[in-house]
Amino acid sequence: MMNRTTRIAVIGRRYQSTVVAKNGNGNGKPRQSRSAPTIIESKQPEEPSLGESAHFKHTSEEALATPGIKFSDGHGLKGPTGRGRQTRRMNLYQAIRDALGTALATNPKAFVFGEDVQTGVFRCTTGLVDEFGTQKRVFNTPLTEQGIAGFGIGLASVGACAIAEIQFGDYIFPAFDQLVNEAAKQRYASGGAYPLPGGSLTIRAPIGSVGHGGLYHSQSPEGYFLGAAGLKVVIPRSPIQAKGLLLAAIRDPNPVLVFEPKILLVVEEVPVDDYTLPLGHAETVKEGSDLTVVSYGTPLHTSLRAIDLICNPPPQLVSFLPNALKPPNPAPSIQLIDLRTISPMPIIELVESVKKTGRMVIVHEAGKSGSVGNDIAGEVGRRAFEYLEAPIGLVSGWDTPVPLTFEKFYQPDVIRVFDKLVETLSY
């Protein structure tokens, strides 16, 4: 497979050959097109893909050792047969499909609905209508996000398990009033009587950029919901996390938004049985004592790569490191925390980490203003100010609409995270 530089070079040569064929100069020599691209071959190694992140589970043993995993049948790792649990290779969307199938199969009052769930843009609901459609529990809705949210609120109020899909997170804003003014308040306003026993409301939506989605298919809207007390907001980083957190959300009596990073088409081993992972708790992905890095979703894997570059710098990057971080000095010890749930924020866990490390960097794709990062920085700054040895760092998207042509520059990439880690460690 050709890398990006090779593809550009081939395109350039083809373009130039066309110009030569049409515009010979009469003396046997071609006339160079002034608009033909100049190709600069790069010998720098390409960055590994997100799928090569060291924290995806590629064996059954790793998958079954996932911290906090709880199997719903109560038989632990040995399973009901006593012979252990099975896993299967799934990407994030296959894991979501597996969770939805499990929810429908185990709860006759569960419903899945959205604008195109009979096929599914990301194939998360593929086949569900064939399996459960005769029971009229999987169905398409009109193109009305506020209607989808309002219907889900009502369905939960009578004791049903409502699982709604917003086709893209960018289109959740028409449902904002229903989610923030109705769903978030009903449990509090009813003194805990809403929903009726067995009822629940889960809203799923894919978020984040893929490099070419532009203004209306690449946004990360999670920050808008941080002030909506009563809503839980979950963002998984991997297939195992997606299945376990989604099933936990579906069974939680509080309304839960599950935002799914659309770029994470990576594959890992996922337990096939029914299991959940705890909501409201962060997970320490990598231990460390010199710096705390906090992230969630796709940027967590970008952060992990930046940490690896600092701890094991290639020769090309050594000159950019301050002397204290250059080999043969000991590599810094960096802790990486996956938030998983951004509302309620697991702030106590973050404060305790900063009390240990004295430094913090937060990484996410959403813009800076009104963001998860600013929320964390404010709370940690208030609660652990005397422990901080450097200003809290934040690497985020820019406070602009997601630009189609420059989308790759909007995303926090490895070098931006690397620079902020170096800056914070050197302060």
Side-chain angles (χ1 to χ4, degrees):
M1 183 178 290
M2 293 185 292
N3 61 31
R4 184 173 181 273
T5 301
T6 305
R7 288 199 299 271
I8 293 173
V10 170
I11 292 169
R13 286 195 293 271
R14 288 175 180 168
Y15 179 84
Q16 189 171 342
S17 297
T18 303
V19 172
V20 168
K22 293 181 178 179
N23 301 311
N25 60 12
N27 60 4
K29 295 182 179 180
R31 183 168 65 243
Q32 175 70 36
S33 168
R34 288 180 294 176
S35 60
T38 301
I39 305 302
I40 301 175
E41 293 285 353
S42 172
K43 297 183 180 180
Q44 298 293 334
E46 288 194 349
E47 270 297 300
S49 70
L50 287 174
E52 297 177 46
S53 173
H55 283 278
F56 291 117
K57 316 293 186 182
H58 297 297
T59 68
S60 294
E61 291 75 13
E62 290 176 329
L64 295 172
T66 299
I69 193 168
K70 182 179 180 181
F71 290 97
S72 301
D73 57 23
H75 289 286
L77 292 178
K78 291 187 177 181
T81 65
R83 297 179 180 178
R85 304 279 183 179
Q86 291 185 332
T87 65
R88 188 171 71 243
R89 288 174 60 79
M90 303 182 198
N91 64 29
L92 187 132
Y93 296 109
Q94 290 169 330
I96 291 166
R97 164 61 175 84
D98 198 46
L100 294 174
T102 298
L104 289 163
T106 56
N107 185 353
K109 292 185 176 181
F111 295 82
V112 171
F113 51 94
E115 291 172 352
D116 195 18
V117 298
Q118 289 186 0
T119 54
V121 172
F122 294 98
R123 303 296 186 261
C124 293
T125 52
T126 299
L128 289 178
V129 71
D130 298 325
E131 193 173 347
F132 301 99
T134 57
Q135 306 168 34
K136 299 182 179 179
R137 293 198 289 138
V138 181
F139 51 89
N140 286 346
T141 66
L143 304 183
T144 167
E145 285 79 14
Q146 59 267 51
I148 292 170
F151 176 74
I153 294 167
L155 200 58
S157 72
V158 296
C161 173
I163 309 168
E165 176 182 287
I166 304 296
Q167 197 169 79
F168 282 86
D170 310 63
Y171 302 142
I172 203 168
F173 298 111
F176 196 79
D177 176 63
Q178 287 292 313
L179 294 174
V180 172
N181 261 339
E182 303 298 336
K185 296 178 171 62
Q186 291 301 310
R187 189 162 174 78
Y188 175 83
S190 67
Y194 173 91
L196 290 180
S200 67
L201 172 64
T202 306
I203 307 285
R204 296 179 38 252
I207 64 167
S209 61
V210 296
H212 53 262
L215 303 175
Y216 300 110
H217 294 84
S218 292
Q219 297 176 81
S220 297
E222 64 269 19
Y224 289 95
F225 296 95
L226 290 178
L231 280 181
K232 293 186 177 182
V233 184
V234 173
I235 305 177
R237 71 172 187 268
S238 70
I240 288 177
Q241 297 287 319
K243 179 179 177 180
L245 291 171
L246 178 54
L247 283 170
I250 289 169
R251 290 159 184 170
D252 194 305
N254 298 284
V256 185
L257 304 183
V258 180
F259 289 131
E260 303 151 1
K262 66 173 72 77
I263 201 172
L264 286 180
L265 291 174
V266 294
V267 175
E268 67 178 352
E269 292 290 334
V270 178
V272 298
D273 292 324
D274 184 348
Y275 70 90
T276 59
L277 291 169
L279 302 181
H281 294 279
E283 181 186 347
T284 297
V285 176
K286 180 182 179 297
E287 290 287 357
S289 58
D290 296 328
L291 170 64
T292 300
V293 177
V294 179
S295 191
Y296 56 87
T298 305
L300 182 126
H301 303 285
T302 305
S303 302
L304 185 64
R305 173 60 178 158
I307 292 170
D308 183 60
L309 287 177
I310 284 185
C311 295
N312 303 284
Q316 301 96 320
L317 286 181
V318 171
S319 61
F320 295 98
L321 292 172
N323 291 331
L325 297 177
K326 289 181 179 178
N329 291 315
S333 175
I334 302 176
Q335 183 175 25
L336 179 60
I337 295 177
D338 179 11
L339 285 176
R340 302 195 295 188
T341 305
I342 65 169
S343 183
M345 192 79 71
I347 198 68
I348 300 299
E349 297 167 62
L350 305 183
V351 169
E352 291 304 312
S353 175
V354 168
K355 287 181 178 180
K356 177 180 66 175
T357 65
R359 302 170 193 269
M360 172 178 274
V361 171
I362 306 151
V363 185
H364 57 65
E365 190 174 304
K368 183 178 295 185
S369 297
S371 67
V372 172
N374 275 344
D375 204 31
I376 293 173
E379 283 300 311
V380 171
R382 279 188 288 271
R383 300 182 188 213
F385 179 77
E386 65 271 27
Y387 294 89
L388 287 170
E389 298 178 14
I392 295 174
L394 174 58
V395 184
S396 68
W398 307 107
D399 284 337
T400 69
V402 181
L404 175 60
T405 307
F406 302 108
E407 193 162 312
K408 288 292 186 183
F409 297 98
Y410 181 91
Q411 301 165 324
D413 61 15
V414 172
I415 292 302
R416 282 178 61 197
V417 179
F418 176 89
D419 285 344
K420 183 59 69 173
L421 299 185
V422 171
E423 176 187 314
T424 304
L425 285 166
S426 305
Y427 186 86

